[in-house]
Amino acid sequence: MSSNSLSYGGDKSGESTELGQEAIPAGASTGGVIGLFSADVKKNEDLKQMLESSKDSAKLDAMKRIVGMIAKGKNASELFPAVVKNVASKNIEIKKLVYVYLVRYAEEQQDLALLSICTFQRALKDPNQLIRASALRVLSSIRVPIIVPIVMLAITEAAADLSPYVRKTAAHATQKLYSLDPEQKEPLIKIIEKLLKDKSTLVAGSVVMAFEEVCPDRIDLIHKNYRKLCNLLVDVEEWGQVVIIHMLTRYARTQFVSPWKEDEVFGDVSNDHFYESDGEGKEHNEKVKKPYIMDPDHRLLLRNTKPLLQSRNAAVVMAVAQLYWHVAPKTEASIVAKSLVRLLRSHREVQYIVLENVATMTIQRKGMFEPFLKSFYVRSTDPTMIKTLKLEILTNLANEANISTVLREFQTYVKSQDKQFAAATIQAIGRCATNISEVTDTCLNGLVCLLSNRDEAVVAESVVVIKKLLQTQPAQHGEIIKHMAKLLDSINVPMARASILWLIGEYCERVPKIAPDVLRKMAKSFVSEDDLVKLQILNLAAKLYLTNSKQTKLLTQYILNLGKYDQNYDIRDRTRFIRQLIVPNEKSGALSKYAKRIFLAQKPAPLLESPFKDRDHFQLGSLSHTLNSKATGYLELSDWPEVAPDPAVRNVEVIETVKEWHTPLAKLKNEKPDREFYSESEDDGEEAASTSTSSSSSSQSESGDESDESEGKEEDSSVDSDTSSLSQEESNNELEKKKRTMKKKSKDIEESTDEEKRTSGVSKKPKGSSSSDSESSSEDSSSASRSESDAETDSDSKKHPKLKTSKKEEKKPVPPKTPSSKQEISLLDLDDFNQIPSSVTAPSSTVLSPSLVADLQGLSLSTTSPIINVSNPVFVPMKTHELLHRMTTNGLAAQCHFPRQPCIFGAQMVSVQITFSSTADQKIENIHIEEKLPQSGIKMHAFSPIECLQPGESITVSMGIDFCDSTQTASFKLCTKENQFSVNIQPPVGELLLPVTMTETDFKKEQGKLTGMNESFATITVAPQNSTPQILIQKIVNVANLGVVPSGQDNIHRFAAKTVHSGSLMLVTVELKEGSTAQLIINTEKTVIGSILLRELKPVLSQG
């Protein structure tokens, strides 16, 4: 993109001053200099004049700047009339950019877009493939039902286009047309069926995505193309690989028998024959199932996806992992563990998804991840969500062998400053004690020691977990109950107090002296206790009245009288119920005779289970698995069939004989690379490179490459055309020698593997099958060479020919031995052979392209580069902001809170927690966000709808908002089933930051870069009580989410953070001077945020 695209800070009248300050003067082509704070209207007028200019250079410059504005998220819709006039421009560069603009705004400006529909139809015949594809993309983006027949006709023609790029666009357009008019499903299925037969790797991913959107239940369309998709998978782009793998996972679950029966069957066959007579043995053999034999097509899928575990794309690795989990034999699924552990070095968002899936896996198959136990140890820099997931995995992996190591880790985690994480660790210790009986006493003693901890939250959580553990073996732990009774004077957390009272009441006969005294103390504080505690006091009184009425009769009556007049109706109801049940009188019913059996009945011990236990019915890696609820569009995996469907449906008939196409293919194999190297056609190199890899992968598969045979007639014609074009080069003696060598190699390979192919039971293709893809690619490339101007725009067409020529140079010194060539063919399955040729393990340096060398030279390995990492917040204020008041919303109240944690919905979003509470008489249903009001650049990830909110109930949900590094208000409509309310959330400037850790040296280095206009400072008078380091730090981190930077000077305090949206550094320095003055300095590129933060910090430090 041209640098001119950066010359506008915004184009909305409501844009903040921050964008105005970031604007820079336009280039010389504008004919004038735009001021630093000039109005957006003038900028747009200037662009309109340039678009109406007679010079193509001015129009091109204007379009580049407009597309640059769109890329920044600015609104350029008012320029639509001026842009659409240039849709018929003869300049290809202008036309491309106009189409990019129209794709973005065609849906909003439908009437104006319809005026140019004739131009789009003419562009569908343009010789340039990019113009044809862009015209189809714009046409399918105009969502007006009246043009459905026109779009349908355009998609049909594009599906038969000679350019794979246009066919790829046609596949995308089918999804848009289906969402606009579902009645077009049948003709669209025919187009998808045709595109599924396409051999281009560029089209494969897009058409499978269209298949998943339009007709995911039509598995019959995949049968003939299954083997081709498996073999092309390695060469498809990463986005397409993810889509194809998920589709093939569903396909495998419907077409193959379960490989998980393997262990069961062999276990039954092995043991029972020794003690049986011959007659019994024959009867038994008839009943026993045959040993499991994997379908060759099933094995083909697993083999061809295995190399993708080394992909640099985390989504591809996750897709292969879920495929192995759901489809592969259990003994082979363990190979994905190492690849998933490798992803834990990635960003925290990737870590979160991977760890969620690993947590589900470890519940069912612990052995997969036990060797990587240390990879799940918690780091101090991990956010709370990552810490909790790692803790869950460590708990799942704990067994008798490693429990001592795990518990030693847990002891460290309990001391964490993160209270939520410390509480989760205590719960994990309780689960380990329940699951592993050998360490139950050890864990219980450790939890009792935690009861003397200074942190009240740790003590409270320990009490709750101990209560659950004691229910498993109460007879042995009377001393622990006595110790916990003494803690009632010091613990204030309601849940912990209630748990202690329940324990004393449940086992009151084991502590007969302490229980009445506890009841006496509770009677004194009954009025001031929490409702949860009051209910347990009533239960304790009832149980003591039934077991020790002599000492507790009067106390019980006193407590029942207090409960009778309590403000909470639940407590009043419980009081009346207990009085009628335990105190016999004339009105007492038959239940009063069984009061003791009701209150002192034996309770079952609670089960401490993993929260991920019920997620295994969702497909791993899916959104539904992450949310633990079925998401829209989720396709469930079917159960394995008892009997496999006929595998013959995947066979493709052979049309040609060997003699008809053997010789032309030999010529193509040898002469094609030389022709590609000098080719300038639009997709020549890309197609050849992809098909060459696909042919190597197909030759090493067990089931062959029958899918390529379905288009034999097209291949035959392409061979004739290519052989005629290559007739000039056939006289070369060296090439003739190469042809003979290749023929000998192919014969040797076929003869050596002939026996294996016969036993596989799958119909095979003649020896030329591995080159069928190269035929189709030559057809595409020869036809695509008509548009020469597009060769420069396709980056892939430049890279692959170089790679191919370098591979030729590598293979020259290798002697043409049959075994080595066979191994090279099977490189995809790296475990099949013990020895790998040296030419593969040590590739020549000529493989590196010049661009890659330049990138490697630009890398800096010096240790002096600043290390800046996002850290946990120093302090999280509990301040809430009221969104809805119960008086104006019929009982629905809403408050928002900024938790200062990275948002799981997006790296550029601020995490916001909203707490809904109901004081209404009736339940409130379907609380959701209906409409996001238009705002400049603000993006929002809404929370999942709340189905029902009962009276007196409250619930907290999380959402993400991208404020674009500004304090502008995010507005949206909050709806219930009956009402609709407007809600505004304006963030404090301190919540737009994430704290970072850095050294003092790095701080000074970065501060030196942010001087001049990037520096704001003020001299303030500090209140005497704020001059101590602890209070000063507390005051500052309370206002803003800053990280503390270590300082070597007592009078200078440094803080660092980065903005959530753009990641710009925010450096704050407080330098205490003599007397009570101090200098406050803020360095940042975001000068508007810096000045606002400076304005907010000044009064905080000045006031006491």
Side-chain angles (χ1 to χ4, degrees), residues 81 315 413 561 839 952 996:
Y413 300 163
N561 287 332
S839 61
V996 298

Side-chain angles (χ1 to χ4, degrees), residues 637-679:
L637 287 177
S638 59
D639 295 329
W640 295 101
E642 290 295 327
V643 179
D646 184 11
V649 294
R650 291 184 289 277
N651 294 342
V652 182
E653 295 179 2
V654 180
I655 299 176
E656 294 89 0
T657 61
V658 179
K659 294 181 180 178
E660 288 178 337
W661 57 329
H662 176 70
T663 305
L665 274 178
K667 295 175 184 176
L668 280 173
K669 268 193 170 183
N670 289 281
E671 296 177 12
K672 186 72 184 226
D674 293 334
R675 181 168 175 256
E676 286 170 357
F677 189 82
Y678 299 101
S679 173

Side-chain angles (χ1 to χ4, degrees), residues 518-768:
V518 170
L519 184 63
R520 178 183 60 81
K521 288 183 177 181
M522 290 296 101
K524 286 183 181 180
S525 60
F526 182 88
V527 179
S528 60
E529 294 287 353
D530 187 87
D531 292 344
L532 188 65
V533 181
K534 288 179 181 178
L535 290 173
Q536 291 304 327
I537 293 173
L538 290 171
N539 285 345
L540 175 62
K543 291 173 183 177
L544 288 177
Y545 183 87
L546 293 171
T547 57
N548 189 3
S549 60
K550 185 182 293 184
Q551 284 184 287
T552 58
K553 184 176 181 179
L554 294 174
L555 270 176
T556 302
Q557 290 178 354
Y558 173 70
I559 290 172
L560 290 175
N561 287 332
L562 290 175
K564 182 179 180 181
Y565 300 103
D566 195 88
Q567 294 181 351
N568 190 306
Y569 56 82
D570 284 335
I571 295 172
R572 296 198 298 271
D573 288 348
R574 179 69 63 88
T575 303
R576 283 193 289 270
F577 168 73
I578 290 176
R579 188 189 294 276
Q580 292 296 323
L581 199 59
I582 66 173
V583 182
N585 54 33
E586 297 175 358
K587 298 180 181 179
S588 297
L591 275 179
S592 59
K593 300 176 184 178
Y594 307 102
K596 197 166 186 176
R597 292 174 62 182
I598 292 173
F599 276 101
L600 301 176
Q602 193 73 25
K603 278 89 173 174
L607 294 175
L608 300 175
E609 294 182 340
S610 169
F612 288 83
K613 189 173 184 181
D614 58 341
R615 294 196 186 195
D616 54 355
H617 59 280
F618 291 117
Q619 186 174 353
L620 290 184
S622 63
L623 177 63
S624 299
H625 177 270
T626 303
L627 300 177
N628 197 22
S629 62
K630 189 173 181 179
T632 306
Y634 174 72
L635 299 171
E636 293 185 357
L637 287 177
S638 59
D639 295 329
W640 295 101
E642 290 295 327
V643 179
D646 184 11
V649 294
R650 291 184 289 277
N651 294 342
V652 182
E653 295 179 2
V654 180
I655 299 176
E656 294 89 0
T657 61
V658 179
K659 294 181 180 178
E660 288 178 337
W661 57 329
H662 176 70
T663 305
L665 274 178
K667 295 175 184 176
L668 280 173
K669 268 193 170 183
N670 289 281
E671 296 177 12
K672 186 72 184 226
D674 293 334
R675 181 168 175 256
E676 286 170 357
F677 189 82
Y678 299 101
S679 173
E680 294 183 357
S681 62
E682 56 196 28
D683 64 338
D684 206 17
E686 178 186 346
E687 287 296 307
S690 62
T691 51
S692 65
T693 313
S694 123
S695 63
S696 65
S697 62
S698 62
S699 62
Q700 57 93 32
S701 64
E702 293 179 11
S703 61
D705 193 10
E706 290 87 353
S707 59
D708 293 342
E709 300 164 5
S710 61
E711 297 191 14
K713 294 180 181 179
E714 294 179 15
E715 292 171 352
D716 198 19
S717 61
S718 68
V719 169
D720 294 338
S721 63
D722 283 332
T723 51
S724 62
S725 65
L726 296 173
S727 60
Q728 298 175 2
E729 300 175 13
E730 291 182 2
S731 59
N732 193 325
N733 293 330
E734 294 181 6
L735 291 178
E736 287 294 327
K737 291 178 182 179
K738 291 181 183 177
K739 292 175 200 172
R740 297 189 193 103
T741 307
M742 291 298 292
K743 288 178 184 178
K744 290 179 181 179
K745 284 185 179 180
S746 61
K747 287 179 181 178
D748 294 339
I749 292 169
E750 187 176 45
E751 289 172 4
S752 63
T753 57
D754 192 47
E755 289 298 321
E756 296 176 9
K757 294 175 184 176
R758 289 173 189 167
T759 57
S760 64
V762 181
S763 62
K764 295 290 292 180
K765 195 175 180 179
K767 59 187 174 183

Side-chain angles (χ1 to χ4, degrees), residues 855-1026:
D855 291 341
L856 292 175
Q857 289 174 349
L859 291 176
S860 173
L861 300 178
S862 61
T863 57
T864 59
S865 60
I867 300 174
I868 302 172
N869 296 318
V870 177
S871 62
N872 290 328
V874 180
F875 176 74
V876 181
M878 300 309 295
K879 182 180 179 181
T880 58
H881 308 270
E882 187 174 66
L883 302 179
L884 297 175
H885 193 275
R886 58 187 178 84
M887 299 298 292
T888 59
T889 56
N890 299 327
L892 177 64
Q895 293 181 324
C896 76
H897 167 64
F898 295 90
R900 292 189 174 180
Q901 292 291 341
C903 183
I904 62 173
F905 305 118
Q908 295 182 331
M909 290 187 173
V910 177
S911 182
V912 181
Q913 290 182 351
I914 301 180
T915 302
F916 294 99
S917 55
S918 171
T919 58
D921 298 333
Q922 298 178 344
K923 63 181 180 181
I924 301 174
E925 297 181 349
N926 193 19
I927 303 173
H928 64 283
I929 293 177
E930 179 72 27
E931 179 184 358
K932 301 167 189 173
L933 302 180
Q935 298 145 94
S936 55
I938 289 186
K939 297 178 182 176
M940 195 180 304
H941 189 288
F943 57 85
S944 301
I946 302 172
E947 294 182 2
C948 181
L949 188 64
Q950 298 291 345
E953 187 182 13
S954 63
I955 188 170
T956 301
V957 295
S958 296
M959 64 184 297
I961 303 176
D962 183 358
F963 291 102
C964 299
D965 288 346
S966 66
T967 55
Q968 57 183 323
T969 303
S971 304
F972 54 90
K973 290 288 182 69
L974 187 67
C975 304
T976 63
K977 187 177 181 181
E978 300 174 350
N979 298 314
Q980 193 177 61
F981 311 104
S982 295
V983 175
N984 299 316
I985 298 179
Q986 184 173 18
V989 67
E991 306 302 335
L992 301 175
L993 308 174
L994 286 175
V996 298
T997 56
M998 59 196 311
T999 63
E1000 185 177 7
T1001 306
D1002 292 339
F1003 183 95
K1004 292 179 180 178
K1005 183 178 178 181
E1006 295 296 325
Q1007 191 178 33
K1009 300 177 185 177
L1010 299 170
T1011 55
M1013 292 184 64
N1014 294 325
E1015 184 174 270
S1016 306
F1017 59 89
T1019 302
I1020 56 176
T1021 303
V1022 181
Q1025 59 269 35
N1026 293 343

